[in-house]
Amino acid sequence: MSSAKSILKAAKIALDSHNYDEAVTQAKKALTVDPQSYHANVFLGLALDKQGKDEEAFKAYESATSTKDKDTLAWQGMISLYEKQGGRKLGDYKVAAVRLAEIYMEADDKHRCQVVIDKYMGYAKQHGSRTQYKHALEVLLPSSTVYDFLEGRIQQPSYTYLRLAEIVEAEEKEEINKQIGERRTRLGAKIGQVTADVKREVLVRSSLEQIYQNIIDWSSEDGVRRQYEEKLLQRAYDTLVVLPEDQKVDKRKQVESLSRGIVILKHPFELAWEINIEWKDGESLADWDAGVLRDFIDFFPNNGLSKVLKGYMKSEISPFPTNGAQVDADGAAHPEEDVADLMGDEDVLLLMTEGVDESTDSVLGHRLMSEFLLFLEEYETTVSVSRNARRLLTVETQKSGLKFESNLDAINITLASSLIQYQSPKNHPEARLLFDGILERKPTSTAALIGVGLILEEQDEFPAAIDFLSRALTPDANNPKVKAEAAWCKALNGEYSESLAELEPCLLMIEGTDPRSRDLKAQTLYRIGICLWNIDSSKTSRKNRKGAYARFLSALRVNLNFAPAYTSLGLYYADYVNDKKRARKCFQKAFELSPSEVEAAKRLALAFADKAEWDLVEVVARRVVDSGKLRPAPGSRKKGVSWPFAALGVAELNKQDYSRSIVSFQSALRISPEDYHSWVGLGESYHNSGRYIAATKAFQQAEKFQAQVVEREGGEVWFAKYMLANVKRELGDYEDAVTGYEEVLHSKPQEFGVSIALLQTLVEQAWRHVELGFFGRAAGSSRRALEVARDVVVYRADAFNLWKAVGDACSIFSWVTSRGNKFPVAEIKSILETKIDMQEYDLFADIDGIGQNNVFSLVAEKGLASNQIDQCLHAAILAHKRAIYASALDLHAQAVAWYNLGWTEHRAHVCQAQKSQTKRRKATKFQRAAMRCFKRAIELEAGNSEFWNALGVVTSQLNPKVSQHSFVRSLYLNDKSAKVWTNLGTLYLMEGDHQLANDTFTRAQSTDPEYAHAWLGQGILAMLFRDPKEAQYLFTHAFEIANSSSLLTKRQYTLSTFDYLLSISAASNNITNIIQPLFALQQLHTQAPHDLPYYHLFSLFQERIGNYSAAVDSLTFICANVEADYEVSESASSLAHFAQAKADLARAQLAEHDYLCAAENAQTALDFMSGDSASFIDASARRKCRLSAQLTAGLAYYYTNSMDSAIDMFRASLEESDGAPDIVCLLAQVLWAKGGEDEKGVARDQLFDCVEKHPDHVGAVVLLGVIAVLDGDRDTLEAVTADVQALRTSEAVNSGQRRDVGTLLAVIAALGSDNDQEAEEMAEATTSVMLSPMQSQGWSQLAALSSDIYPAEMALKTALRAAPPVGTLEAKDLAEVFAVTGRLGDAQRAIMVAPRCTDGWEELVDVVA
């Protein structure tokens, strides 16, 4: 022990001398001797501390304190060591400081204890963080071990808690902002939800509420306590708001307790008072404490809810007494003057509206506001405010977790009661749903029972309504309003006597003089009057001024603004007194007071409609529609009112506002689906807006109900059928339209509008038939139109449209000249002579030569149809002159009449020019008349672009400058007309300005790509630019998009197509390229039978398709007409045409096997073409014509066995063609057929010469090979075989020629050596297959040589691919292929394809055998 002491003493000396290394050494020696030595550990810790070895020093001090816990040295050393660490060891510093203070406390050394605590607090405040300082402050709290010992020497706990509250508030604010900032950027995060989640997490674990409570408990200042009571309530409320539903109960109780305490103390904290008031769940405001409400108003006069409460409590409907002193629950008296002075309704409404605007989240404020608005009968605003109150109540329920059933029921009753009146009966289903929900919980709710009763009354369910209203009377049997309503339901149910008996006592029960009492009394008097009115419905009773009439007047004396009474008085004056003026005033007054007076509105609308005052009709109907009283609620028995919508539709229809009229009529039909007039109006609206399909359906629906209209109203129903016919006409369904018009005329024979519509429809139908190419139908429709006009002119001869239609009907015959013999001359003469001074027809007679004499000369003539065309054009001109006379009083119609006459004159000029087929530069009489007409039309209406265009057309040949000016003026007025652009381009084309013409045609195409003549002009330009291929494409496109009335399009298309077929031999035999131009020429001949050149072209197309008999007939007709024309004119062109026609006729007769006639006509053609007399025709054309005639004659002589004549003709043709190889071949065949050796030798020589000159001519080589085969000349065969083999692979050889080559080679192979014959034939067949695998001939040869079925199958497949319309394989060749398969079906097909071919029949016999 003495050794340990000496060591400790040495360590102490070393410390005093600042020899810390030695001190450490000695302290460790001492610990070696005594490990539990307190002083050794203290000396070691101190020495290590001086050396800066803090961690080792801490361990030494800890060992010391563990040895002697109550000794101060180690704790002091440890504290000094902590103070060197700054804020890093502040928590450990707190433990050490508190322990040291406790040691001093045990030693009863308050001074040193306080010094330790003060030193620690100062150090923590200086060096610690906010959180560390917060923990340090806990030492000063009553929960600290040293607080009781140092009480009075350290600061009051209230100040400590205040500082803690500040620190915690700052920390939580930072934490909330930090977490919100981090989470709001997450995917799918919503700021509202993120904020609520973060607040819930922070507030739930917060200790701030306890701190607030401690401040309240420890503070001695009332102001501080009140302040932190507010904060505590706010904190608890904020926590309640973010808590989930299942955790709100305890917190809500805390909030309620805190708010109740603040209110009891009458501390003016708004949140507490609002919670106390807003969270009250009462059926009416009477359930609230009036004293609390008044205190709230006094404390917070500028609060929105305070203003609402103040206004409501000073209104008529306040549940609190307004006279005498009011005593609240605390016994405090309020002077009478504070509550007795009621405010007017306007002031109350103004104050409450201001309050609601300021307290946008107050449920009670909105509830009271809606109740007051309902009291004022402001139903629309009541609905809006009540819905807002329900929304706010839902939000408040989510915040507090309270159900608020009574509040919700009160709001729903207010909302449903207003919905009964607002836009009734539209909102009745919603109101009924609300009332039913209330009655499920509160079956005796008077307001809900009354509401359901009123809804049922509106739905005409009167027994049920009486039941509900009677139940509502149970708690208050003397309620006059409910009792009168129940009695009125009986009246509506037809029980007028019982209702009268119950209504009269109600009248005595109404004693008040306030406005609502007066309204109720007026209503009851009116209802009594209605009962009296219906109990005895006789005219005498109703006219009695002491009966119902007196009650209506009494009702108005009580309430001058009671609208139903005015309506009833209006009915009285209108129907029983016949005082229309008073009745109208009554109806107007009723409608001004209430748009719900539907009967008054209907009477007014009918009166305005009778005077055609459609603007007033629209005003009346619109106001009734906007009232919302027309449509019944879903499921209601009450019928809707449709007439306002129908009236609105009629007014809008008259204003040409068709889109709105459609909507109006549709609305009317939703209410009354069987309303005939609404269907008609809807159809007419659709028709006028261009929606013809919908219009058709509407009129068809109207026709279903027309019988009901006749039965119920006795009205006329033909208008729907007439309008349906109009729609069919617009759709182009002319047959149905004509049928409809005729049905209407059957019931109304002289209805001019229908008759003229029928007439115009027939004319339009005729024009449509012309466009489609149905020329016979067009003539028939025109004839029917003239028959209708004959009937109309009898009773309405002064109608412009009548004569325009007559003129158009006559003009149509000029477009279908082949049907001119159908023109009804007698009918048109009768029409023109009806009700007219014949001198009126002499208008322009000095120019066009058409006047009254032409009327008298209209006589049916027999002969060519073209003879009738002049008469139909003359009749058309006369009809349009009559139209000018009929339109004398209408400038626009007169301008149109001159325009129509001008076009008819121009049409007469065109027809005359086509007949004469001469080009005239000088104006004809019809041209001059047309020019005058168009100028007159322009004088009357210079702004019409069509008039200028017409003038440009008629002057194009006479004065190009005037024509150009007219076209330019027309385009200035309307530059969207493709027709005018095309006409201008045609003028430029005629004048030789091709570039301008091209630009103008291009503009026309861009304006309307479907206008055919623009493309036609481009085609003509292409021809001038020597681009026939492009021209043919353009003509074809023009023909495809043009209608059938265009003659020029057909002419150019067929001519260009024929030239194209001549230029491409492969396409010339394809029937698909011929059929369309053939039909076009057939139509052209129907429209212009005098156009012989194109009829000649028609015969050439007939010849190409193999219709030789028709071609013969056509050419015979042409020859006869040309011959007749030549006899009259003796023109060279007629002679040339005749010779050409004869040559073509001979060729057609040759194809028909009429060889004698063919030879005769060919010889006639040659006679005309021989010698100098043939100078009338071009040399090239003459050469072709002579060659055709010579070949035709040669073949005809050949087939009649006149070989010498045939040889002579072929030799002549050979000279004419300069040794053409085809003619050499024909000559060789004829010479060979004659049979003489000399002739055969000449044939061989001719062929050798031809092959030498034309080695690639397949026909000559093949024919030479055939002669060599027949002669057995092997030398020639060898030479020919080489040439044929070379031709076999030539690309210039077509499929038909390749077939001939293959056949020749097969024959040559068959004539080979006996040993190798079969092999050579097989080799030849396989070679043919390899060279032309898609040709059926090689496969057929292979099938004949092989017993295998596959070559026959391939032959059939390739033949089918080569058959029309894909290929050009003939029927005979296809039948031969069918006949080699060995199948019964194919044999039958061979017979069907070519019955005259024996192969099919032979194969059928073999297969059957």
Side-chain angles (χ1 to χ4, degrees), residues 198 216 249 767 855 1034 1065 1118 1145 1256 1275:
V198 171
I216 295 169
V249 178
W767 282 118
V855 179
L1034 291 168
S1065 59
I1118 293 168
L1145 175 60
D1256 294 332
D1275 295 335

mmCIF file of all heavy atoms in Angstrom, residues 198 216 249 767 855 1034 1065 1118 1145 1256 1275:
data_model
loop_
_atom_site.group_PDB
_atom_site.id
_atom_site.type_symbol
_atom_site.label_atom_id
_atom_site.label_comp_id
_atom_site.label_asym_id
_atom_site.label_seq_id
_atom_site.Cartn_x
_atom_site.Cartn_y
_atom_site.Cartn_z
ATOM 1 N N VAL A 198 -47.560 13.707 -45.615
ATOM 2 C CA VAL A 198 -46.411 14.216 -44.857
ATOM 3 C C VAL A 198 -46.872 14.838 -43.538
ATOM 4 O O VAL A 198 -46.287 14.584 -42.473
ATOM 5 C CB VAL A 198 -45.638 15.230 -45.715
ATOM 6 C CG1 VAL A 198 -44.576 15.938 -44.876
ATOM 7 C CG2 VAL A 198 -44.985 14.536 -46.903
ATOM 8 N N ILE A 216 -49.588 26.003 -21.130
ATOM 9 C CA ILE A 216 -50.862 26.437 -20.541
ATOM 10 C C ILE A 216 -50.882 26.153 -19.048
ATOM 11 O O ILE A 216 -51.332 26.971 -18.232
ATOM 12 C CB ILE A 216 -52.027 25.725 -21.250
ATOM 13 C CG1 ILE A 216 -52.091 26.169 -22.731
ATOM 14 C CG2 ILE A 216 -53.347 26.025 -20.563
ATOM 15 C CD1 ILE A 216 -53.032 25.336 -23.565
ATOM 16 N N VAL A 249 -61.666 9.573 -33.867
ATOM 17 C CA VAL A 249 -62.614 9.703 -32.737
ATOM 18 C C VAL A 249 -61.985 10.437 -31.564
ATOM 19 O O VAL A 249 -62.504 11.449 -31.067
ATOM 20 C CB VAL A 249 -63.141 8.319 -32.329
ATOM 21 C CG1 VAL A 249 -64.087 8.469 -31.126
ATOM 22 C CG2 VAL A 249 -63.853 7.656 -33.498
ATOM 23 N N TRP A 767 -84.154 15.829 -119.191
ATOM 24 C CA TRP A 767 -82.749 16.221 -119.330
ATOM 25 C C TRP A 767 -81.825 15.162 -118.742
ATOM 26 O O TRP A 767 -80.747 14.876 -119.295
ATOM 27 C CB TRP A 767 -82.503 17.556 -118.632
ATOM 28 C CG TRP A 767 -82.960 18.763 -119.395
ATOM 29 C CD1 TRP A 767 -83.901 19.663 -119.023
ATOM 30 C CD2 TRP A 767 -82.491 19.189 -120.679
ATOM 31 N NE1 TRP A 767 -84.071 20.623 -119.980
ATOM 32 C CE2 TRP A 767 -83.198 20.363 -121.026
ATOM 33 C CE3 TRP A 767 -81.555 18.700 -121.581
ATOM 34 C CZ2 TRP A 767 -82.995 21.043 -122.210
ATOM 35 C CZ3 TRP A 767 -81.340 19.375 -122.761
ATOM 36 C CH2 TRP A 767 -82.057 20.530 -123.072
ATOM 37 N N VAL A 855 -97.130 29.454 -135.400
ATOM 38 C CA VAL A 855 -98.107 28.750 -134.558
ATOM 39 C C VAL A 855 -99.153 28.084 -135.444
ATOM 40 O O VAL A 855 -99.517 26.922 -135.246
ATOM 41 C CB VAL A 855 -98.768 29.725 -133.566
ATOM 42 C CG1 VAL A 855 -99.795 28.997 -132.713
ATOM 43 C CG2 VAL A 855 -97.710 30.386 -132.690
ATOM 44 N N LEU A 1034 -56.632 12.016 -123.337
ATOM 45 C CA LEU A 1034 -57.479 13.133 -122.902
ATOM 46 C C LEU A 1034 -58.905 12.979 -123.410
ATOM 47 O O LEU A 1034 -59.870 13.234 -122.673
ATOM 48 C CB LEU A 1034 -56.885 14.452 -123.390
ATOM 49 C CG LEU A 1034 -55.570 14.870 -122.721
ATOM 50 C CD1 LEU A 1034 -54.919 16.018 -123.474
ATOM 51 C CD2 LEU A 1034 -55.819 15.269 -121.267
ATOM 52 N N SER A 1065 -51.773 -2.713 -134.240
ATOM 53 C CA SER A 1065 -52.477 -3.878 -134.785
ATOM 54 C C SER A 1065 -52.875 -4.862 -133.702
ATOM 55 O O SER A 1065 -53.887 -5.552 -133.807
ATOM 56 C CB SER A 1065 -51.586 -4.574 -135.817
ATOM 57 O OG SER A 1065 -50.355 -4.977 -135.207
ATOM 58 N N ILE A 1118 -75.986 4.671 -145.607
ATOM 59 C CA ILE A 1118 -75.070 5.788 -145.890
ATOM 60 C C ILE A 1118 -74.980 6.036 -147.387
ATOM 61 O O ILE A 1118 -75.052 7.189 -147.865
ATOM 62 C CB ILE A 1118 -73.680 5.496 -145.297
ATOM 63 C CG1 ILE A 1118 -73.755 5.494 -143.759
ATOM 64 C CG2 ILE A 1118 -72.654 6.506 -145.770
ATOM 65 C CD1 ILE A 1118 -72.526 4.944 -143.087
ATOM 66 N N LEU A 1145 -68.704 -1.090 -148.168
ATOM 67 C CA LEU A 1145 -69.875 -1.956 -148.278
ATOM 68 C C LEU A 1145 -69.500 -3.268 -148.959
ATOM 69 O O LEU A 1145 -69.942 -4.355 -148.546
ATOM 70 C CB LEU A 1145 -70.984 -1.236 -149.046
ATOM 71 C CG LEU A 1145 -72.249 -2.054 -149.353
ATOM 72 C CD1 LEU A 1145 -72.905 -2.528 -148.050
ATOM 73 C CD2 LEU A 1145 -73.226 -1.230 -150.183
ATOM 74 N N ASP A 1256 -38.117 -11.688 -144.128
ATOM 75 C CA ASP A 1256 -38.752 -11.800 -142.806
ATOM 76 C C ASP A 1256 -40.270 -11.887 -142.890
ATOM 77 O O ASP A 1256 -40.938 -11.893 -141.845
ATOM 78 C CB ASP A 1256 -38.374 -10.590 -141.943
ATOM 79 C CG ASP A 1256 -36.893 -10.568 -141.621
ATOM 80 O OD1 ASP A 1256 -36.303 -11.652 -141.571
ATOM 81 O OD2 ASP A 1256 -36.359 -9.456 -141.427
ATOM 82 N N ASP A 1275 -35.353 -30.272 -151.795
ATOM 83 C CA ASP A 1275 -34.346 -29.200 -151.811
ATOM 84 C C ASP A 1275 -34.933 -27.880 -151.305
ATOM 85 O O ASP A 1275 -34.317 -27.167 -150.501
ATOM 86 C CB ASP A 1275 -33.807 -29.031 -153.236
ATOM 87 C CG ASP A 1275 -33.046 -30.273 -153.698
ATOM 88 O OD1 ASP A 1275 -32.547 -30.997 -152.809
ATOM 89 O OD2 ASP A 1275 -32.970 -30.480 -154.920
#
